Structures are given as C-alpha cells and as structure tokens.
Amino acid sequence: MLFKLDPDTKARPVGGRIRQKNESIILRAAEIEFANSGFKGASMNDIAQRADLPKANIHYYFKNKLGLYIAVLSDIIELWDSTLNAITPEDNPRDVLITYVQRKIEFSAQNPLASRIFAKELISGAPNMKEYFRDDYALWFKGRADIFRAWAAQGKIDPEVSPEHLIFLLWSATQHYADFSTQIEAALGKDQLEEADYQDAASTLLHIILKGCGIK
C-alpha cells in the first residue's frame, strides 16, 4: 500500500532533471526540519533556508507545508511497503522475510530521520495521515496477513504464529534501530551505531524470526 497524495497538496508537475534535483534537496531538508521540530514546529521558511533555496521555489514544487510533509511520509512508506506489496502465496517466506528485515534495517541505518518523523506522527495520533489510514489500508494489511496464513496452510511457516502480530513484530523490531538509536548507542557505549551493529541486528532478528516461524 502506497501513501496517496491529495491532489490539492501534491508536488506540482515540473519536468526534467532540475525538478528531480530540487525536489530531492527540498525533501531532504524537510526531513531534517520535520524530525527536529515536528509538523507544527517546522516552517516553510526554515526548510527553504536549510535547502538553500528561495521560499518561492519550495511553494513552486509543493503547494503548502502539508503537501511537503505528506511527500516526505510517502517516500518513507513506499520504501517500507515495497517488499511486501508483491508477495504471493507461491513465494518462499524465508526469502521474503530475509529481504524485508535486511532492507528495513538498512533503511534504519541510512534514513533514521524519516523513520522518526513517521513515529512522531503516529504517537501524536496521526492527525495528518487520515488519507493513509483509510479502508484500503486495512484491506492492504489483511491481504499481507492472508498470504502469511496461506504459507502456514502450505506448511511453510508454523501455523501457531499469528500473521498479524508477526507483521507488527517485523515493523517494530526493524524500526527500533532508527527511532531509538540514542538508547541503543547509550546501552552499547557508543557515540554512533556502526555498520557492524546493524548487521548484527539484522542477523539476530532473522535468526529469531525464522526459527520462531519454524523456517529452516
């Protein structure tokens, strides 16, 4: 399920490489501002200054702050959901789970701010994500759970494992390394997590998840 932009808030169509370059600069600057200040605290002026672009340029690509915020969230959700969007009952759950966990841990390492923006939005009651949590979101989630259930019926995973709660576990365990990196760094006595830490995290999570699902 991809986060659908509202037609009144989405980026304006501008062609060419300049558009792609400027949108990328704006989105990265917006990530930092939204992560530091939240949706309410961030301003288009601050985002423009961080992007080193005139404020008018920001409004040229994104109609308003909500449109820019939703675009940032859209990038996050698209990256997270892409692995599960195309899974089928014929797939090997071992391959799916390995790919998902590795990609999510990699995303936590490379894009921690994006994950924290999403977490802050949910903690505050998701006031700006009503479009995302519509009926089709529940249908998308049920579709993923039904595929896990089909794997169980085929003997590919342990039928005692709840598909819904397995998905919740996958979400929370992998995003933890972005949302709570400060706590993890303090526990490990490090100023910053290293690549080896993320590799250990992915390896440990996969060992526990695959073994818990009864997958060799």
Side-chain angles (χ1 to χ4, degrees):
M1 157 118 192
L2 301 183
F3 192 20
K4 298 178 181 178
L5 292 174
D6 186 292
D8 292 332
T9 58
K10 65 183 180 182
R12 299 179 187 275
V14 183
R17 295 180 179 177
I18 294 177
R19 180 208 64 180
Q20 295 177 356
K21 179 182 177 181
N22 285 345
E23 282 189 2
S24 178
I25 292 172
I26 294 167
L27 288 171
R28 298 296 78 79
E31 270 189 15
I32 297 173
E33 289 300 323
F34 288 134
N36 291 341
S37 306
F39 175 72
K40 290 184 178 180
S43 72
M44 294 293 268
N45 188 56
D46 290 338
I47 293 169
Q49 289 182 0
R50 185 174 292 278
D52 196 23
L53 291 170
K55 184 178 177 181
N57 283 32
I58 309 297
H59 285 289
Y60 183 75
Y61 292 99
F62 299 93
K63 186 176 180 180
N64 52 39
K65 186 171 73 168
L66 178 59
L68 180 52
Y69 184 70
I70 289 176
V72 171
L73 290 174
S74 178
D75 278 356
I76 302 166
I77 295 167
E78 184 172 353
L79 284 168
W80 283 349
D81 289 351
S82 60
T83 303
L84 296 182
N85 280 336
I87 62 173
T88 70
E90 290 71 40
D91 289 332
N92 184 333
R94 181 181 184 276
D95 295 338
V96 171
L97 291 170
I98 288 174
T99 299
Y100 182 82
V101 169
Q102 288 179 338
R103 286 184 179 176
K104 284 292 297 294
I105 290 293
E106 182 181 1
F107 187 81
S108 290
Q110 296 179 354
N111 301 84
L113 294 182
S115 182
R116 291 168 198 163
I117 293 168
F118 184 83
K120 285 184 178 180
E121 175 70 15
L122 292 191
I123 290 171
S124 63
N128 301 295
M129 295 186 68
K130 292 184 175 67
E131 184 73 12
Y132 176 61
F133 291 117
R134 298 181 305 176
D135 292 340
D136 55 356
Y137 174 76
L139 291 175
W140 176 88
F141 180 80
K142 182 179 183 301
R144 305 315 95 196
D146 285 346
I147 291 171
F148 279 71
R149 202 166 281 111
W151 288 338
Q154 297 171 34
K156 294 179 178 179
I157 64 174
D158 189 336
E160 294 298 316
V161 175
S162 163
E164 291 81 5
H165 291 283
L166 174 57
I167 295 173
F168 297 153
L169 174 63
L170 292 170
W171 287 348
S172 59
T174 51
Q175 287 162 225
H176 181 84
Y177 291 90
D179 302 340
F180 296 94
S181 60
T182 301
Q183 181 186 36
I184 297 172
E185 289 161 357
L188 296 179
K190 295 185 174 183
D191 295 328
Q192 185 175 357
L193 295 180
E194 302 168 352
E195 182 179 352
D197 298 315
Y198 291 105
Q199 291 175 348
D200 287 346
S203 177
T204 300
L205 289 176
L206 282 170
H207 180 77
I208 294 169
I209 291 168
L210 294 177
K211 193 169 184 179
C213 289
I215 299 173
K216 297 294 184 179

